[in-house]
Amino acid sequence: MREEPRSGCAINAAVEVLGDRWSVIVLRDMIFGGRRYFRDLLANSEEGIASNILSSRLKSLVAGGLLTHATAGRGRRGTYSLTEAGIQTVPIMVALGSWGLRHRPTTPELSVRARLLEEAGPPLWEDLMDELREAHLGIPRPHPDRPPASRLLQEAYERVMAEPT
């Protein structure tokens, strides 16, 4: 990974770190799917990422400062964690999901979270980021009395899945 961006453009600098579609998908699965292990990311990839691509993207995201990787002892799983920079991609993910809802074909079960995040707005995004900070950085949520954002998103998904087709 390059130390310096190709230009001083903020969009270019962000795109160089976020990389390609697979990098964004890996971040999505960590943020919204709670996946933190290589095998979990590989086995539960909706899009079917190949193991060599996943390995490359994880290394790139670690090098770019969006993830950390804690290696485990022999025969144990290493854990990937979002950094603060990785957590702050939540609004980007929401914007991508909102754009996708309007301009691309989607399915109800895989777009319900994007729809809820768009409708609820920044307060839900902030709650989700606080929850991610707690899970990945060990920083307690400032409002533990609020229902976890991940639970609200999961319940919305389960409601759509329970609807008759």
Side-chain angles (χ1 to χ4, degrees):
M1 172 161 205
R2 297 170 61 101
E3 293 273 333
E4 297 292 321
R6 288 182 181 89
S7 75
C9 172
I11 293 171
N12 173 70
V15 169
E16 284 188 16
V17 172
L18 291 174
D20 62 14
R21 70 181 177 134
W22 289 117
S23 297
V24 174
I25 295 301
V26 169
L27 288 171
R28 178 206 64 191
D29 289 350
M30 290 187 71
I31 290 169
F32 299 109
R35 299 182 187 129
R36 307 215 23 210
Y37 305 103
F38 182 90
R39 290 276 174 227
D40 195 20
L41 287 159
L42 183 66
N44 294 303
S45 170
E46 191 74 33
E47 293 77 15
I49 191 169
S51 62
N52 61 324
I53 300 293
L54 176 59
S55 178
S56 171
R57 293 327 179 265
L58 287 168
K59 287 176 187 170
S60 176
L61 290 166
V62 168
L66 298 173
L67 301 179
T68 59
H69 182 237
T71 56
R74 188 173 166 92
R76 305 183 118 203
R77 302 186 298 182
T79 305
Y80 289 91
S81 296
L82 294 161
T83 63
E84 181 62 28
I87 291 167
Q88 288 186 21
T89 64
V90 167
I92 296 167
M93 297 295 180
V94 173
L96 286 170
S98 295
W99 186 89
L101 286 170
R102 282 173 198 40
H103 301 288
R104 307 303 302 164
T106 61
T107 61
E109 64 275 7
L110 295 179
S111 63
V112 66
R113 292 179 181 110
R115 198 172 307 284
L116 178 59
L117 285 160
E118 179 181 61
E119 291 169 359
L124 184 58
W125 313 349
E126 288 295 330
D127 285 348
L128 178 58
M129 290 190 293
D130 286 340
E131 187 177 340
L132 291 168
R133 285 182 187 102
E134 184 172 65
H136 292 262
L137 304 176
I139 300 169
R141 290 187 303 142
H143 306 287
D145 51 311
R146 292 185 193 165
S150 61
R151 188 174 83 207
L152 298 173
L153 295 169
Q154 184 63 28
E155 288 170 352
Y157 173 78
E158 289 170 2
R159 278 192 301 276
V160 168
M161 292 304 289
E163 292 175 1
T165 55

